[in-house]
Amino acid sequence: MRRRTGAAARAIAFAAWLALGCSPEAPPQAPSPEALAAARSPGASVILLSIDTLRADRLGAYGYPRPTSPALDALASRGVRFARAVAESSWTLPSHVTLMTGLLPTAHGVRHVRQRPPAGLPMLAQVLGRAGYRTLAFVDGALLSGFHGFARGFERYEDRDKNLRETLELARQALDALPAERPYFLFLHTYDVHCPYDPPPEYALRFRTRPPEDHLETAGRCGKTDFNAMALTRGQARFLSDQYDGNIRAADDTLGEFVRWLDERNAFERTVLVVVSDHGEEFLEHGTIGHKNNLYIESLRVPLIVLAPKLRPRVVESGAGLADVMPTVLDLLDLPAPPTQGRSLLPAMLGASDDAPRPLPSQLWRAEGELRSVVAGDRHLILDTRTGDVELYHLGLDAGERLDLSWLARGSRGELLAALERRLEQPIPVRAESTGGLPADLTQQLRALGYVE
Ligand SMILES: [Zn+2]
């Protein structure tokens, strides 16, 4: 637990205590059934792009002052940007299973690299395939491999290790070859932003603020315990963070070319596009580098941008999770959704607001035990289920989560713990499937990314 002392901390604590006590009251404005129907696009194609490890606050559209993301910013200004999207876990596998099933990690049960979702669990590609969609995926392998169950429902699932440029080139070729009369679901995923923070040469110097002596090689070190525990200097962490920004800009420029290609085909007139990430990234804010370490906000806040033919641009302030993506996409297409623990964001995308901040849970299983977290509006509570320790932050007043208020705001703490329990309590009972041993080539990919030692 971190506690600050001094007048500034006391002032923040007092303001936070006042703010924690009250939930902003906004009258819910449910859109009419006619308005909802008019916003749907039955038969539209769907492109779902997951940019792995992309922190929301590193994008211009989310307030970052560096020019890391002109293409994503342009998409955000054309579509609906969710300002407060939260990932349900702080690493790739459980988060992507949530994205594709609409179930929280506690329900789908996928907690470590030797698990995959059970065969009977409906995944987005299966639902769309049954509705007559062509289903294609070009992903960057490792945890997104078919081995981990993600290929289910896809007629083509290309999961070899590759960069975003190759991924999008394959996607262009595949879309060109598709007959125009049937809609498609295209799932795209990239690790280009993920550690190693090693941008292409033309991007390596773009955001660098540190001298060469702070240079730190990350290839082969991602996710390693010794790397996370290394006594990195602030300068070295800053160096890595600058490189991460270079990775983002490189991926963004590549994405920009793909968006221009889609625009030339007027694809957005008949396509729903969802851009999302599976978790954020840490640069020593709370003592570690990378992700899968904890549930602080830098690991959880992700971009979520939705474009659809009949949706007008908007910024949505109410909370959203990855579990909402499947019900939202199916609602936009006017297709029935299987039971999920998310909800359709279509009303929010038409301006409806919640009467109280919606609790958004996240979970992480570590060797030391399970961490749980809940974000509700500006409040973020983290629970260590092994020790019972609780931390509570006010994101509006303390975006970096440096002042733990759990000792001060007992009422808020109890309220959020109860909300967390309620959200995790609605399990749709399934049990993750064991994958058994990992194939050698997959183990190698996972080692490079830091998911196995
Ligand atoms: Zn990831």
Side-chain angles (χ1 to χ4, degrees):
M1 303 287 160
R2 286 161 190 78
R3 288 182 192 175
R4 278 175 165 180
T5 51
R10 280 197 298 278
I12 295 173
F14 181 66
W17 177 69
L18 291 175
L20 286 164
C22 55
S23 311
E25 288 293 328
Q29 316 142 354
S32 66
E34 295 75 25
L36 288 168
R40 294 188 178 110
S41 300
S45 291
V46 178
I47 301 175
L48 172 57
L49 167 62
S50 166
I51 304 175
D52 209 286
T53 322
L54 183 57
R55 277 172 73 140
D57 64 359
R58 293 301 179 97
L59 305 180
Y62 285 82
Y64 199 42
R66 290 178 151 190
T68 50
S69 56
L72 284 164
D73 300 348
L75 283 175
S77 69
R78 294 167 67 176
V80 178
R81 177 175 73 82
F82 287 85
R84 293 163 177 267
V86 168
E88 282 83 349
S89 190
S90 58
W91 69 292
T92 312
L93 185 56
S95 281
H96 275 98
V97 176
T98 293
L99 178 70
M100 291 303 191
T101 63
L103 295 186
L104 301 176
T106 202
H108 64 59
V110 179
R111 301 169 183 190
H112 59 73
V113 295
R114 287 177 183 78
Q115 288 181 314
R116 60 184 157 226
L121 195 61
M123 298 177 80
L124 182 56
Q126 294 171 311
V127 177
L128 290 174
R130 281 196 285 269
Y133 277 64
R134 303 295 303 265
T135 50
L136 311 162
F138 302 95
V139 305
D140 206 350
L143 292 169
L144 265 292
S145 65
F147 182 81
H148 280 103
F150 291 107
R152 290 176 196 156
F154 284 101
E155 55 187 90
R156 182 170 173 199
Y157 196 83
E158 221 299 358
D159 62 359
R160 73 184 154 79
D161 184 10
K162 55 190 164 304
N163 62 31
L164 182 61
R165 181 166 296 283
E166 294 169 273
T167 295
L168 296 181
E169 182 50 39
L170 287 169
R172 275 193 284 257
Q173 289 168 10
L175 292 189
D176 265 340
L178 283 184
E181 61 279 5
R182 261 174 76 189
Y184 61 83
F185 170 43
L186 174 66
F187 173 48
L188 302 167
H189 164 264
T190 180
Y191 287 118
D192 276 19
V193 171
H194 192 287
C195 183
Y197 315 115
D198 192 14
E202 62 271 34
Y203 293 92
L205 290 171
R206 197 131 178 187
F207 299 104
R208 192 174 291 178
T209 53
R210 302 301 306 174
E213 51 269 32
D214 281 333
H215 177 91
L216 198 64
E217 202 53 58
T218 51
R221 280 176 159 165
C222 304
K224 300 289 179 290
T225 314
D226 62 339
F227 179 49
N228 276 347
M230 267 172 73
L232 297 186
T233 64
R234 287 269 151 207
Q236 286 171 324
R238 181 61 203 240
F239 175 88
L240 298 180
S241 170
D242 290 343
Q243 296 283 92
Y244 173 77
D245 284 350
N247 273 355
I248 295 173
R249 179 59 193 254
D252 186 87
D253 282 353
T254 307
L255 175 63
E257 291 169 26
F258 183 64
V259 172
R260 278 192 291 281
W261 181 83
L262 289 170
D263 271 328
E264 281 162 17
R265 297 160 59 102
N266 299 317
F268 292 105
E269 290 173 7
R270 54 185 187 282
T271 305
V272 171
L273 171 70
V274 179
V275 183
V276 73
S277 184
D278 57 337
H279 52 80
E281 191 75 333
E282 309 155 63
F283 293 97
L284 287 193
E285 292 87 346
H286 293 91
T288 41
I289 294 273
H291 53 269
K292 205 187 172 191
N293 298 310
N294 58 51
L295 294 177
Y296 292 108
I297 200 68
E298 59 270 17
S299 292
L300 297 181
R301 191 74 90 198
V302 291
L304 175 59
I305 297 165
V306 180
L307 273 72
K310 294 177 188 164
L311 284 181
R312 288 213 295 264
R314 183 185 292 275
V315 176
V316 174
E317 292 291 340
S318 47
L322 303 182
D324 300 326
V325 169
M326 178 167 171
T328 301
V329 165
L330 294 173
D331 195 9
L332 278 168
L333 303 176
D334 207 12
L335 291 172
T340 71
Q341 290 169 297
R343 71 178 188 194
S344 170
L345 299 170
L346 183 54
M349 295 195 287
L350 297 178
S353 55
D354 295 319
D355 52 0
R358 180 181 176 211
L360 300 165
S362 308
Q363 291 169 280
L364 174 67
W365 286 267
R366 309 183 295 182
E368 313 90 282
E370 183 196 346
L371 290 180
R372 293 180 171 184
S373 129
V374 61
V375 175
D378 275 332
R379 299 176 298 171
H380 183 200
L381 176 140
I382 303 167
L383 167 68
D384 184 329
T385 61
R386 186 177 60 89
T387 61
D389 286 348
V390 166
E391 295 171 57
L392 176 61
Y393 299 98
H394 191 284
L395 298 168
L397 297 160
D398 176 26
E401 299 191 327
R402 286 184 291 178
L403 183 68
D404 173 18
L405 297 163
S406 58
W407 53 281
L408 180 70
R410 295 266 155 195
S412 210
R413 174 192 159 121
E415 185 198 322
L416 289 171
L417 282 170
L420 178 59
E421 205 164 311
R422 276 198 305 278
R423 275 306 309 271
L424 297 182
E425 218 175 42
Q426 348 156 347
I428 295 167
V430 295
R431 184 175 293 173
E433 209 174 276
S434 170
T435 61
L438 300 168
D441 56 335
L442 186 56
T443 304
Q444 208 174 343
Q445 282 182 48
L446 293 173
R447 190 170 289 132
L449 291 166
Y451 291 109
V452 296
E453 293 271 349

